[in-house]
């Protein structure tokens, strides 16, 4: 095997659907050897087969399973150079008094704790080797108040833990960044729109670009942060939100200008 035959290994948690699937597809095209890690075996296997990658079942809420999977990947395939933490679940908008604590616990266990567990399982090995890059998929919900009393605080924690880990591992050349998608047209969101559960006009009203985000756009940002082009970037949160954060406060002044200014 020549040096040209060796592709860096990247693990994408939640790679069987949505943003994770878009990341897996793009990173494969960019020359990475992609390991799709997902709790949903049918979708994960299909994505891995399509991109000629590997699939391993993994539940990020299970610390023992994540640790064992990280060890198995490195023993069977080689050192992991990149990690995209896209595994996550959403919640229905509810008043806090109506959100069951078991539902709150489940969201936090996957979105917050699961992200940290995966960072630790793979990042500690990167730190021991002296190099690697991690991208955590957060959300604009982590930067604003929303009626998502488990999801939004969990994503805020992801943004903060990203900075904490970047500082902790930076001296050993491990970069850790997060990407915060805005309202992204994943299959799950499209299903909700088709079912009349979400109103596109409300989702896009505060976006400066006046539209939803595409999963491929989140993947492009993630691939950039993993790449040598971002070698000097660590500890940041990069919103990919079609300008939703920039435009959301304009409602106080009558809303964003239309296409005619």
């Amino acid at each position: 095997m020549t040096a040209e035959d060796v592709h860096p290994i990247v693990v994408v948690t939640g790679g069987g659907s949505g943003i994770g699937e878009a990341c897996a597809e793009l990173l494969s095209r960019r020359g990475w050897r992609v390991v799709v890690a997902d709790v949903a075996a049918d979708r994960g296997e299909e994505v891995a087969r399509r991109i000629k990658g590997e699939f391993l079942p993994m539940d990020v809420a299970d610390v023992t399973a994540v640790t064992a999977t990280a060890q198995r990947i490195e023993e069977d395939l080689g050192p992991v150079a990149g990690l995209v933490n896209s595994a996550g679940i959403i919640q229905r908008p509810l008043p806090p008094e109506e959100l069951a604590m078991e539902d709150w616990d489940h969201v936090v266990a996957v979105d917050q704790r699961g992200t940290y567990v995966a960072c630790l399982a793979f990042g500690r090995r990167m730190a021991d080797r002296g190099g690697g890059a991690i991208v955590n998929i957060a959300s604009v919900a982590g930067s604003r108040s929303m009626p998502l009393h488990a999801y939004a605080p969990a994503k805020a924690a992801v943004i903060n833990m990203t900075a904490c880990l970047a500082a902790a591992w930076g001296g050993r050349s491990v970069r850790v960044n997060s990407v915060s998608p805005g309202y992204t047209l994943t299959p799950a969101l499209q299903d909700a729109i088709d079912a009349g559960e979400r109103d596109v006009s409300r989702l896009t009203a505060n976006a400066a670009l006046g539209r939803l985000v595409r999963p491929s756009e989140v993947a492009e940002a993630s691939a950039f942060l993993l790449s040598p082009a971002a070698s000097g970037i660590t500890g940041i949160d990069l919103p990919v939100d079609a300008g939703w954060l920039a435009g959301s406060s304009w409602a106080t002044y009558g809303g964003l200008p239309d296409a005619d200014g």
Side-chain angles (χ1 to χ4, degrees):
M1 180 178 291
T2 67
E4 289 75 14
D5 296 322
V6 178
H7 299 284
I9 296 171
V10 61
V11 176
V12 181
T13 74
S17 63
I19 289 170
E21 179 180 2
C23 288
E25 291 174 343
L26 179 62
L27 290 168
S28 178
R29 294 198 299 272
R30 295 281 171 86
W32 291 82
R33 184 176 184 182
V34 179
V35 178
V36 176
D38 203 300
V39 71
D42 53 347
R43 288 290 300 138
E45 288 174 346
E46 192 277 325
V47 172
R49 187 181 311 112
R50 175 162 25 95
I51 66 173
K52 296 181 172 57
E54 318 285 338
F55 170 75
L56 284 174
M58 190 174 78
D59 180 358
V60 296
D62 185 341
V63 62
T64 302
V66 175
T67 303
T69 299
Q71 181 174 346
R72 177 182 172 186
I73 291 171
E74 299 227 341
E75 288 177 350
D76 293 350
L77 302 179
V80 173
L83 171 66
V84 177
N85 277 314
S86 187
I89 57 176
I90 58 175
Q91 66 154 116
R92 291 185 299 124
L94 291 169
E97 62 271 20
E98 295 180 18
L99 177 62
M101 279 309 303
E102 55 265 32
D103 294 335
W104 190 95
D105 288 339
H106 186 44
V107 171
V108 171
V110 175
D111 293 1
Q112 177 179 336
R113 184 175 182 270
T115 297
Y116 182 78
V117 165
C119 281
L120 187 60
F122 293 96
R124 70 198 312 169
R125 297 169 183 272
M126 296 177 184
D128 288 343
R129 286 191 298 270
I134 296 172
V135 173
N136 295 321
I137 304 300
S139 169
V140 293
S143 298
R144 289 291 187 272
S145 169
M146 294 185 179
L148 303 172
H149 300 286
Y151 181 84
K155 290 301 187 178
V158 169
I159 294 169
N160 187 270
M161 79 169 67
T162 294
C164 292
L165 293 174
W169 289 333
R172 289 184 279 176
S173 298
V174 178
R175 297 185 300 103
V176 189
N177 295 291
S178 60
V179 171
S180 279
Y183 293 107
T184 304
L185 195 57
T186 61
L189 179 56
Q190 185 64 63
D191 288 345
I193 293 169
D194 294 342
E197 298 171 358
R198 302 304 298 268
D199 183 340
V200 174
S201 64
R202 286 182 176 270
L203 297 176
T204 59
N206 293 321
L209 296 180
R211 63 172 177 82
L212 299 172
V213 177
R214 296 183 291 272
S216 61
E217 293 174 313
V218 182
E220 288 282 0
S222 302
F224 164 70
L225 289 172
L226 288 178
S227 76
S231 60
I233 302 174
T234 195
I236 64 104
D237 179 58
L238 175 60
V240 181
D241 64 346
W244 185 88
L245 288 173
S248 57
S249 59
W250 281 58
T252 306
Y253 301 92
L256 292 163
D258 57 26
D260 296 326

